[in-house]
Amino acid sequence: MKVRKFAAIDIGSNAIRLLTHNVIEEEGKKTQFRKSALVRVAVRLGEDSFTKGEISEKNEIRMLKSMKAFKLLMEVAGVEDYRACATSAMREASNGTEIIEKIKKEAGVSIDLINGKQEAAIIASTDLKSLIKEDQSYLYIDVGGGSTEFTIFTNGKIKISKSFKLGTVRLLNDMVKQEVWDNLKKWIETNTDSLEKLSIIGSGGNINKLHKMSGRKEGQALSYIWLNAQYKFLDSLSYENRISELGLNPDRADVIIPAARIFLSAAKWSVVKKIYVPKIGLSDGIIKTLYHSKKKKA
């Protein structure tokens, strides 16, 4: 048996995450990927990027310090290799490339700027494939702070995928035009109209939290009825009460509502009553693609 360590850094619009995995290789057995640790820092880059067009000096400093800390944590943990990916907030910031170069120079961390299609492809490389049955269809939704990726699976394969600038941080800052909602509605209705046995698979921190709040066991789906009721309940509470009474983190207590709205809208337009939450995301996909890439080269 050989145990290897890999890490992923996900630089999102709402938070920055460092995920480490133990990758267990054993002759004659399937390689196992086990989460070792997760560090999440609430640096809301999207609020800068989407409203001002650039990352503020304050968040630039916080981001640089986070990357230095992540580098040290990876060294202490004995991480063999890592990959860092930045999504919409850094892509749309006028000083995004400049900050990435600074981080590489001062923190020694290289960052890849990825687009929506690349993000969807990385996520699709996770355990998602093992959940998809060939005789059913799925609408996979990954809700982020700056954008949401939609992918349709039929016959066990990707039929079509599209990224929409419809994220929780954008919605909080009232930066999503009705046209975006209309385009999403049309896209979902057009691409799901002929599909039978359709279910939704959701990913992202917000739907994971909602699933945990529901008290359902792992593998049990959220119903549209429950999610709609929970959305209305959360919306009826003040931001402060969501933190004090429900125990939500301050950076989760606001974005969880627009996230629920996105899932509810998609479920309504695709006429789906169940949402499965396998708790996988970009970080998991980064580690999987990194490992298989290294194995192929070897």
Side-chain angles (χ1 to χ4, degrees):
M1 179 189 287
K2 186 178 181 182
V3 180
R4 303 167 70 180
K5 279 186 180 286
F6 290 86
I9 297 174
D10 173 8
I11 302 166
S13 303
N14 192 43
I16 300 171
R17 303 169 189 82
L18 168 66
L19 175 68
T20 55
H21 266 209
N22 287 325
V23 181
I24 303 165
E25 298 174 330
E26 198 169 356
E27 194 173 339
K29 292 185 179 180
K30 186 180 178 181
T31 303
Q32 296 181 57
F33 294 80
R34 294 182 184 173
K35 289 181 183 180
S36 172
L38 174 67
V39 180
R40 183 177 181 276
V41 185
V43 183
R44 194 167 281 182
L45 300 174
E47 278 193 349
D48 288 341
S49 182
F50 306 144
T51 59
K52 303 166 190 172
E54 64 178 16
I55 305 300
S56 65
E57 185 180 355
K58 177 185 174 183
N59 276 339
E60 179 184 337
I61 293 168
R62 292 181 70 204
M63 190 178 171
L64 179 59
K65 286 181 177 179
S66 298
M67 291 302 113
K68 287 180 178 179
F70 286 179
K71 184 74 184 295
L72 289 172
L73 285 170
M74 288 190 291
E75 288 177 6
V76 171
V79 168
E80 178 183 327
D81 204 356
Y82 76 94
R83 186 184 180 192
C85 293
T87 54
S88 56
M90 289 296 286
R91 279 199 313 268
E92 295 181 32
S94 61
N95 58 344
T97 304
E98 180 186 325
I99 292 172
I100 285 172
E101 289 174 357
K102 186 176 181 179
I103 287 171
K104 185 175 182 179
K105 185 179 179 181
E106 297 186 22
V109 176
S110 297
I111 299 170
D112 296 330
L113 270 177
I114 60 172
N115 58 38
K117 282 190 176 181
Q118 290 172 310
E119 191 172 348
I122 291 171
I123 293 168
S125 69
T126 63
D127 291 334
L128 185 62
K129 290 181 180 178
S130 64
L131 302 169
I132 291 170
K133 298 174 183 176
E134 290 194 9
D135 63 338
Q136 294 184 27
S137 297
Y138 302 87
L139 171 58
Y140 175 73
I141 306 170
D142 180 55
V143 175
S147 62
T148 298
E149 324 308 325
F150 294 85
T151 306
I152 293 174
F153 289 85
T154 57
N155 301 317
K157 297 178 181 178
I158 295 176
K159 177 188 175 184
I160 191 171
S161 66
K162 190 172 176 64
S163 177
F164 288 84
K165 287 187 178 182
L166 182 72
T168 56
V169 178
R170 284 191 204 272
L171 285 166
L172 278 179
N173 288 279
D174 197 27
M175 298 191 68
V176 178
K177 295 179 181 179
Q178 184 58 42
E179 182 184 358
V180 177
W181 285 106
D182 293 340
N183 289 339
L184 174 60
K185 181 175 185 286
K186 184 180 179 181
W187 187 88
I188 290 176
E189 289 178 343
T190 301
N191 290 291
T192 62
D193 184 53
S194 60
L195 301 179
E196 296 180 1
K197 295 183 180 180
L198 181 66
S199 299
I200 285 176
I201 297 176
S203 72
N206 292 295
I207 197 69
N208 289 348
K209 186 64 179 178
L210 285 162
H211 191 273
K212 187 176 181 180
M213 291 168 73
S214 75
R216 286 166 171 76
K217 295 178 182 178
E218 189 175 338
Q220 284 186 311
L222 293 177
S223 68
Y224 177 88
I225 293 172
W226 181 88
L227 186 58
N228 190 43
Q230 187 71 0
Y231 168 71
K232 290 178 179 177
F233 168 65
L234 289 168
D235 199 33
S236 70
L237 298 176
S238 67
Y239 171 72
E240 290 75 18
N241 283 344
R242 284 178 229 135
I243 296 170
S244 61
E245 294 181 20
L246 301 182
L248 293 175
N249 289 331
D251 66 304
R252 179 72 66 206
D254 51 359
V255 292
I256 198 168
I257 292 175
R261 183 186 170 194
I262 293 171
F263 280 106
L264 285 168
S265 298
K268 181 181 177 182
W269 297 330
S270 59
V271 197
V272 170
K273 295 179 180 178
K274 289 185 177 181
I275 300 171
Y276 291 91
V277 187
K279 297 182 180 178
I280 53 175
L282 181 64
S283 299
D284 302 272
I286 291 171
I287 289 174
K288 283 278 181 75
T289 54
L290 177 63
Y291 170 76
H292 289 300
S293 175
K294 281 183 72 74
K295 194 175 180 182
K296 190 176 180 181
K297 286 178 181 177

